[in-house]
Amino acid sequence: MWLNELKIAIIEKNTDKLNTLMDSLPELSDAKEINQALHLLKEATSLVEGLRDATEASMIQMKKNIKFLKSTQAPTVSKLDVSS
């Protein structure tokens, strides 16, 4: 049951469900189940790392966009500026 839920969470890219499943890791006794769980956990790890990298790239791009937008704004002059 746990292995099937893990497969579904990986397919759906559901990180919340993956986190919940990691917290409730069962004790597996069958060698086939253990091997399958290891492969699924490696896949889950690569999925989370890929999502993390995509989020990081998106954040970097947003920072660049904000910096660009700020550089294109005309400087505002305060009405109380007496130095002019």
Side-chain angles (χ1 to χ4, degrees), residues 23-84:
D23 290 340
S24 65
L25 188 66
E27 190 171 317
L28 302 172
S29 58
D30 183 35
K32 182 180 175 185
E33 287 181 342
I34 293 171
N35 192 28
Q36 190 176 17
L38 286 173
H39 288 291
L40 289 171
L41 291 173
K42 287 179 186 177
E43 185 64 32
T45 301
S46 67
L47 169 69
V48 171
E49 288 174 351
L51 292 172
R52 181 197 62 208
D53 293 344
T55 301
E56 181 183 15
S58 178
M59 290 176 67
I60 290 170
Q61 186 61 46
M62 283 190 269
K63 286 179 182 179
K64 287 179 182 178
N65 292 347
I66 290 170
K67 186 176 179 181
F68 172 76
L69 289 172
K70 285 182 179 179
S71 71
T72 61
Q73 290 177 341
T76 57
V77 178
S78 173
K79 294 184 182 210
L80 296 176
D81 188 10
V82 292
S83 64
S84 304

